[in-house]
Amino acid sequence: MNSPFHVAIIMDGNGRWGLKEYNDRNKGHFYGLQNIDKVVKDCIKLNIKFLTLYTFSTENWNRPKKEIDYLFFLFKFFYKKNFNKMFKNNIKIKFIGDLKNIPNDLKIIIHKIEKKTKNNNLITVIFAFNYGSKSELINAFKKISKNKKNNITEELITNNLYTKNIPDPNILIRTGGEKRLSNFLLWQLSYAELFFVGKNWPDFNFFDLKKIINSYSKIKRKFGTVDE
Ligand code: IPE
Ligand code: IPE
Ligand code: MG
């Protein structure tokens, strides 16, 4: 099987799932985070080498404070709980996003995880956290102009993104039924194959992923060329 190297996921539909199952959006966030653990294992089984998960967007700050507070409580709980397991399972963890402007206690946890798992190599799991593609690009252009670089190339821009040294995703999956990118990896997804799944994130499972991987393996990726 033509196994993909990098899968990116917009883990959407937690709130709706929580409302439907428990009449509580936050329950959806809780079970959504639990599902990450399973999906990482599924990716390892399928020989996926990079998994990027859209965890919190720069626009998600516009949600009610009560929901944001609960989300941050959960993130801390999740990373603390899973930290050693991820390390022992040879999983490398990275974070992309504006990590300067997140609460200090979470910042400390994030740096610790990244440092401790940096030599692991079974799979790299990248959490897009306080991430927005437009702010990533602005940040890259600011760095480029600060360094007085005039010869703007694709490589120069790529190397100034948070995703420097990470190959572009082969596949983007969005759960929850919406067909939009919501400011996620706009540059990096230019040639990704897009898959939109009706299921909400807490219900997304191995068979859904396997089905997508199978469909992907049948696609002829052309990158602008013509069939021979
Ligand atoms: C995605 O699920 C998780 C975050 C944005 C943190 P949502 O919370 O957006 O769930 P829906 O789309 O409202 O159902
Ligand atoms: C995208 O989902 C962000 C994450 C999954 C973290 P949203 O639910 O925030 O996106 P919109 O608001 O539907 O575009
Ligand atoms: Mg949503």
Side-chain angles (χ1 to χ4, degrees):
M1 191 182 66
N2 179 14
S3 185
F5 210 55
H6 186 172
V7 173
I9 307 183
I10 301 177
M11 307 182 288
D12 196 26
N14 288 347
R16 277 164 285 164
W17 187 94
L19 278 180
K20 195 171 126 247
E21 300 291 331
Y22 293 92
N23 200 24
D24 179 1
R25 285 183 57 81
N26 283 345
K27 277 273 192 290
H29 292 309
F30 179 81
Y31 285 103
L33 271 184
Q34 307 295 316
N35 199 30
I36 291 179
D37 204 27
K38 276 192 259 151
V39 173
V40 170
K41 284 196 194 116
D42 296 341
C43 286
I44 293 171
K45 265 192 232 153
L46 293 167
N47 201 23
I48 290 160
K49 286 294 171 193
F50 293 87
L51 171 68
T52 299
L53 299 169
Y54 206 5
T55 312
F56 190 84
S57 76
T58 45
E59 286 70 32
N60 287 148
W61 291 109
N62 297 320
R63 295 191 173 199
K65 186 174 179 307
K66 199 170 140 256
E67 182 163 335
I68 296 175
D69 286 349
Y70 183 71
L71 276 170
F72 277 80
F73 159 77
L74 270 187
F75 295 144
K76 265 181 268 170
F77 168 78
F78 172 81
Y79 291 126
K80 271 193 188 154
K81 181 171 157 271
N82 290 296
F83 177 28
N84 279 320
K85 197 164 72 187
M86 294 187 280
F87 172 67
K88 283 199 196 104
N89 290 340
N90 198 12
I91 298 166
K92 179 170 174 167
I93 305 291
K94 278 183 72 73
F95 288 81
I96 55 169
D98 178 5
L99 301 176
K100 285 194 295 298
N101 295 312
I102 60 166
N104 228 7
D105 45 358
L106 200 54
K107 218 185 290 182
I108 292 169
I109 298 172
I110 283 175
H111 286 315
K112 215 163 123 186
I113 297 180
E114 280 193 329
K115 204 169 150 206
K116 183 132 190 211
T117 63
K118 77 174 194 302
N119 295 321
N120 285 354
N121 59 16
L122 186 57
I123 185 172
T124 302
V125 180
I126 301 141
F127 291 94
F129 199 85
N130 196 17
Y131 176 88
S133 203
K134 289 188 178 175
S135 98
E136 177 183 36
L137 285 164
I138 292 168
N139 184 55
F141 298 149
K142 278 185 183 162
K143 277 200 274 173
I144 289 169
S145 80
K146 205 167 142 204
N147 293 330
K148 301 205 170 29
K149 296 267 201 269
N150 295 322
N151 184 19
I152 304 291
T153 60
E154 194 173 315
E155 195 191 1
L156 183 67
I157 294 175
T158 298
N159 287 337
N160 279 282
L161 297 174
Y162 301 132
T163 50
K164 182 183 174 195
N165 297 328
I166 299 169
D168 286 347
N170 306 60
I171 289 179
L172 169 84
I173 302 169
R174 180 175 186 138
T175 58
E178 313 289 358
K179 296 185 179 66
R180 54 177 172 256
L181 294 180
S182 303
N183 201 11
F184 188 46
L185 301 175
L186 302 181
W187 173 276
Q188 297 87 338
L189 292 174
S190 3
Y191 262 107
E193 305 296 335
L194 310 181
F195 293 86
F196 298 99
V197 180
K199 269 189 185 180
N200 293 320
W201 172 249
D203 288 331
F204 185 80
N205 63 32
F206 180 74
F207 301 101
D208 302 314
L209 182 62
K210 188 88 197 309
K211 207 162 111 192
I212 290 171
I213 303 295
N214 278 340
S215 307
Y216 170 84
S217 65
K218 295 190 187 104
I219 296 172
K220 180 157 178 17
R221 306 185 78 202
K222 290 168 64 185
F223 300 101
T225 62
V226 292
D227 290 332
E228 280 151 27

